[in-house]
């Protein structure tokens, strides 16, 4: 979800068909939902993840709740978090689902950082013009 947030779904088999990992033999990966074929497909996804991000970052992410790329419910369902209204975001940050709560809280923190950077730039501009 963090590496390929634009994908429609994130199950093992959906990743297989959306990402089409290089070197994956379609027949070895069948039938789906069996131990060996699923492990084979997952190994290809892991290889691609390790090529995209460091193993340290992947391990750190694995200890956190899921960072959902889009709001999963309500009137903002399917919208990227940066397009969700402030009030809805604050409500979602109190959701019972840990992934929804974590994702909404992460966006609130991102917005606060953006606001702080904006205030710092404005202050810097004022200081320069005063000099």
């Amino acid at each position: 979800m963090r590496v390929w947030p634009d994908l429609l779904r994130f199950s093992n088999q959906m990743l297989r068909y959306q990402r089409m990992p290089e070197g994956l033999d379609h027949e070895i990966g069948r039938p789906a939902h069996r131990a060996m074929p699923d492990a084979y497909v997952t190994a290809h996804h892991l290889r691609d993840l390790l090529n995209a991000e460091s193993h340290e970052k992947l391990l750190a992410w694995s200890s956190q709740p899921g960072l959902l790329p889009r709001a999963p419910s309500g009137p903002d369902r399917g919208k990227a978090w940066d397009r969700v209204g402030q009030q809805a975001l604050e409500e979602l940050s109190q959701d019972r689902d840990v992934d929804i709560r974590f994702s909404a809280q992460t966006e609130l923190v991102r917005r606060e950082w953006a606001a702080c950077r904006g205030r710092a730039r404005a202050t810097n501009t004022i200081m320069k013009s005063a000099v």
Side-chain angles (χ1 to χ4, degrees), residues 1-117:
M1 287 187 250
R2 295 174 197 238
V3 176
W4 303 301
D6 296 332
L7 297 179
L8 300 174
R9 298 246 164 37
F10 303 96
S11 69
N12 202 31
Q13 295 303 321
M14 284 299 289
L15 284 170
R16 170 188 186 170
Y17 291 109
Q18 291 179 75
R19 299 257 325 129
M20 295 188 214
E22 183 178 333
L24 188 135
D25 182 309
H26 183 72
E27 288 306 312
I28 295 174
R30 293 183 66 198
H33 313 300
R34 298 276 197 258
M36 200 293 288
D38 280 1
Y40 173 76
V41 172
T42 301
H44 282 78
H45 297 319
L46 178 59
R47 181 206 55 208
D48 288 352
L49 285 167
L50 288 168
N51 285 331
E53 292 291 348
S54 70
H55 74 277
E56 291 89 359
K57 188 178 278 189
L58 295 175
L59 287 172
W61 287 341
S62 72
S63 69
Q64 299 174 345
L67 184 60
L68 306 173
R70 295 172 291 280
S73 60
D76 293 309
R77 181 178 188 210
K79 287 184 182 177
W81 290 102
D82 63 349
R83 295 182 51 223
V84 174
Q86 186 70 22
Q87 182 177 347
L89 196 59
E90 289 172 7
E91 290 172 12
L92 289 167
S93 75
Q94 303 301 313
D95 197 275
R96 289 182 308 180
D97 183 290
V98 68
D99 295 337
I100 295 171
R101 190 170 58 244
F102 179 75
S103 300
Q105 290 170 350
T106 299
E107 175 59 18
L108 287 169
V109 168
R110 186 199 66 78
R111 289 181 186 187
E112 183 58 34
W113 268 97
C116 287
R117 283 193 314 258

